Amino acid sequence: MSKLTKIAGVEWHTSAGLTDYAEALAAMESRVSSIAKGEAAELIWLLEHPPLYTAGTSAKPDELIDARFPVHLAGRGGRYTYHGPGQRVCYVMLDLNKRGRDIRCFVHHLEGWMIAALDQLGVKARRAPDRIGLWTDSRGAEAKIGAIGVRMRKWVSFHGFAINVAPDLSHFEGIIPCGLPDFSVTSMRDLGQNSDLPALDLALSDCFPSFLKKFDSAIKNA
């Protein structure tokens, strides 16, 4: 990882190239352990993976249609998802012991952060009732543009979310993404919007302080 900066007191790292999934998972688990012990700062980690599928704790075997890429047991919530080049993965390691132990509220505000960042780039994304992740309109129908799946260890979050910037959308055909066979997947490029990873990274960093402020406020007012 190459250090980028600190934003709102949280370290940000962006990895160049493609990061091996198993190595990323091991690095996340090590960092989360250190955060829980008070030995490391909270971290936002931006990266891309080589093509692969991950299975969350609710994944069903029949939702893996064609294992054309390596399949990893992720340990996060959710079902099958795809990661690959052109997709911005954001691993979010925040200490909810200090910020507030409310997973539902945390996920809701993560989605809000994603929505705000995409809005800066001309993509109108939204939540959908009973469906985790971010949705937008594509060719007259709803399509998924962002996936989210988190895990807690000693109330420190890890895993996070993925936004489809310009991946090969045919790679999603090997799975039923998030167990929703009736919905397609789209990307910023597919929508004709800015499909530059650094532009999304900048939008995410711009919207991050507001995400923290809104989450902290919601916890205090709960």
Side-chain angles (χ1 to χ4, degrees), residues 68 135 184 192 215:
R68 66 184 77 172
W135 302 81
S184 63
F215 175 56

Side-chain angles (χ1 to χ4, degrees), residues 84-166:
Q87 181 191 69
R88 174 53 82 212
V89 175
C90 180
Y91 289 137
V92 181
M93 288 161 265
L94 296 178
D95 188 354
L96 299 197
N97 290 292
K98 298 187 299 185
R99 298 185 179 277
R101 296 180 177 184
D102 189 326
I103 296 175
R104 186 181 296 273
C105 182
F106 179 63
V107 171
H108 178 82
H109 284 86
L110 279 178
E111 291 170 338
W113 176 22
M114 298 163 71
I115 289 168
L118 285 168
D119 185 65
Q120 283 198 11
L121 300 175
V123 177
K124 301 300 180 183
R126 59 184 177 272
R127 303 175 182 89
D130 302 319
R131 283 185 262 135
I132 296 295
L134 288 195
W135 302 81
T136 190
D137 295 317
S138 175
R139 298 180 178 88
E142 279 190 297
K144 192 167 191 174
I145 193 167
I148 187 166
V150 300
R151 185 177 179 184
M152 297 289 165
R153 181 168 295 164
K154 296 183 178 179
W155 286 99
V156 178
S157 69
F158 61 123
H159 296 280
F161 60 82
I163 294 176
N164 298 329
V165 179

Side-chain angles (χ1 to χ4, degrees), residues 2 4 6 20 41 53-54 81 105 137 150 159-160 185 198-199 203 206:
S2 57
L4 176 64
K6 263 195 174 184
D20 178 80
Y53 298 127
T54 66
T81 193
C105 182
D137 295 317
V150 300
H159 296 280
V185 177
D206 283 348

